Amino acid sequence: MSSDFLPFTRPSIDEATIAAVGDVLRSGWITSGPKVQAFEAALSTYCGGRPVRAFNSGTATLEVALRLAGVGAGDTVITTPLTWVATANVILEVGATPILIDVDPLTRNIDLDRIEAAITASTKAIIPVDLAGLPVDRDRLYALADRCGLRVIEDAAQSLGASWNGRPIGGAFGQGRGFVSFSFHANKNLTTSEGGALVLPEDIDPALCERLRLQGVKRFPDGGMDVDVLGGKFNLTDIAAAIGLGQLPNLAAFTARRRELARRYFAALDPKLGLDLPMADFENSNWHMFQPLLPRGTDRGRFIVAMKDKGIGVGVHYPALHLFSLYRALGFGEGDFPQAEDIGRRTITLPLFPAMQDGDIDRVCSALAATLSELA
Ligand SMILES: *Cc1c(COP(=O)(O)O)cnc(C)c1O
């Protein structure tokens, strides 16, 4: 491994943010407190004034959104097989059944044309995922959901900073009955190390969301309390919120830099390499990841090892989730979703993060070309 190893991602955390974390640590109050409230207010402003509540993970926001939407045993929820497994796990967690729909090979997101045929009387919600930061078509999505009476829980873990037709992801689309879930995991475009946020629709009570976030506890001014629902332990700390508050003012610059770097990949990658490139969208996508598909027949494991030997980190996001043992045991199997399976087997995540230099892209592209010719 070369000494100047280039990872596939790395967070950009400035000195002012590191100092702000130090201030929280010295303050005497390090769990949920004023920094979480300030972070929620800043996120709400970003999301056009919609109510936002902070969580300790994106996964927790998805689970709580399902509970707030009234999804439980006997219900089905529609989502994509090509996502981080958390998206489908939360459906199982609340006792419901995931209905998977194959992806559109162009966008690699859920194929909107196939959703309506999969809706039954038990279908309560749809969880679309903006894979790699490329948004699902919000106009078509909400037209369908509003017409069919389905709740939308946008899994926008990867798409903070992205937009749809000039409006930021996180804002209200359709009739405004959608939830939006963000993740602030270390690898996401904005991080709190671990964390998440849930944007609430108008007809959902933020106080109930807060109770589901923390043990169902309702507190009274006289110090008394009651517990009227079963809540989890999903609150964000002020330490994490201080990181988020330091990141948010940089989000637009992060997104702009990611778009520049993605453009550079398109310019630098030789079409003769036989890669299938992602959709070239520089308006909507936040370029959370740059993911070419390897030529069919390339041994991805050997490719990744050979790139690592050249000092380049390559990730895999993600194998189609229905082929994991847990999902096979539920009855899913090979051949169920051919597009997701093909992409899941061939996808690679190349380095892309705001602090990368232009020259790093050229370095990745020459290592990639050399590796493909070695493996051919
Ligand atoms: C990261 C991610 C999640 C889960 O977020 P965590 O903060 O890690 O719990 C869910 N869905 C997608 C698509 C993700 O990328």
Side-chain angles (χ1 to χ4, degrees):
M1 221 198 286
S2 129
S3 57
D4 53 345
F5 187 77
L6 183 68
F8 72 82
T9 193
R10 183 196 287 152
S12 290
I13 298 172
D14 57 28
E15 289 304 320
T17 304
I18 294 170
V21 169
D23 290 344
V24 172
L25 291 172
R26 280 185 287 264
S27 75
W29 191 268
I30 62 176
T31 184
S32 310
K35 294 292 177 191
V36 167
Q37 285 190 1
F39 187 41
E40 288 175 340
L43 288 168
S44 173
T45 300
Y46 179 85
C47 296
R50 304 178 84 192
V52 180
R53 292 299 178 271
F55 284 75
N56 58 6
S57 76
T59 306
T61 66
L62 292 170
E63 184 183 326
V64 167
L66 285 167
R67 294 193 192 282
L68 287 167
V71 176
D75 297 331
T76 61
V77 177
I78 292 174
T79 192
T80 165
L82 197 63
T83 177
W84 177 228
V85 69
T87 313
N89 283 352
V90 292
I91 300 171
L92 299 176
E93 194 65 50
V94 302
T97 302
I99 302 292
L100 303 177
I101 306 274
D102 208 354
V103 299
D104 170 351
L106 205 65
T107 62
R108 304 176 187 170
N109 287 329
I110 193 165
D111 187 342
L112 294 170
D113 289 330
R114 297 177 189 238
I115 291 178
E116 207 151 351
I119 296 173
T120 67
S122 61
T123 309
K124 293 286 150 54
I126 164 169
I127 311 184
V129 178
D130 303 323
L131 191 68
L134 179 70
V136 170
D137 181 329
R138 292 299 193 272
D139 301 323
R140 291 189 57 208
L141 171 71
Y142 277 93
L144 179 91
D146 290 341
R147 186 172 70 245
C148 301
L150 297 186
R151 273 289 183 186
V152 175
I153 300 170
E154 300 176 30
D155 183 343
Q158 303 186 2
S159 55
L160 181 60
S163 56
W164 181 252
N165 287 340
R167 294 168 54 215
I169 297 304
F173 290 89
Q175 295 167 6
R177 292 181 70 246
F179 293 84
V180 187
S181 157
F182 293 119
S183 166
F184 308 130
H185 173 267
N187 289 353
K188 301 292 161 45
N189 286 25
L190 181 151
T191 186
T192 61
S193 76
E194 297 284 359
L198 184 62
V199 186
L200 299 172
E202 272 172 32
D203 60 332
I204 295 290
D205 177 12
L208 177 58
C209 176
E210 290 168 10
R211 296 209 292 290
L212 291 176
R213 180 173 63 179
L214 193 62
Q215 313 292 10
V217 171
K218 192 186 244 174
R219 289 183 184 278
F220 303 114
D222 66 358
M225 65 175 83
D226 187 26
V227 175
D228 61 348
V229 287
L230 181 59
K233 169 63 183 178
F234 299 138
N235 56 302
L236 190 73
T237 70
D238 264 21
I239 302 169
I243 304 175
L245 280 167
Q247 292 262 290
L248 200 51
N250 298 321
L251 180 64
F254 287 166
T255 305
R257 181 60 183 152
R258 284 174 176 278
R259 286 177 178 153
E260 268 174 23
L261 291 164
R263 275 185 196 276
R264 202 170 172 91
Y265 267 127
F266 278 95
L269 282 170
D270 184 349
K272 288 197 286 291
L273 294 174
L275 300 168
D276 283 334
L277 298 185
M279 224 172 93
D281 172 321
F282 302 101
E283 301 297 323
N284 296 310
S285 178
N286 66 1
W287 289 98
H288 170 59
M289 295 187 283
F290 186 83
Q291 302 180 295
L293 307 184
L294 289 172
R296 287 196 179 77
T298 309
D299 183 330
R300 183 170 60 187
R302 287 179 61 204
F303 174 89
I304 291 171
V305 170
M307 289 292 279
K308 196 173 176 189
D309 288 342
K310 295 179 183 69
I312 312 283
V314 173
V316 172
H317 307 91
Y318 305 94
L321 71 88
H322 66 286
L323 299 181
F324 292 142
S325 307
L326 176 71
Y327 287 86
R328 284 182 189 263
L330 296 175
F332 294 106
E334 209 92 33
D336 287 354
F337 309 109
Q339 301 293 353
E341 289 169 28
D342 179 53
I343 296 167
R345 285 195 189 96
R346 297 164 60 210
T347 190
I348 52 167
T349 305
L350 296 180
L352 179 59
F353 53 90
M356 263 174 81
Q357 305 297 307
D358 290 353
D360 291 331
I361 300 279
D362 307 329
R363 202 178 126 201
V364 174
C365 293
S366 8
L368 194 154
T371 301
L372 283 179
S373 78
E374 282 162 30
L375 294 184

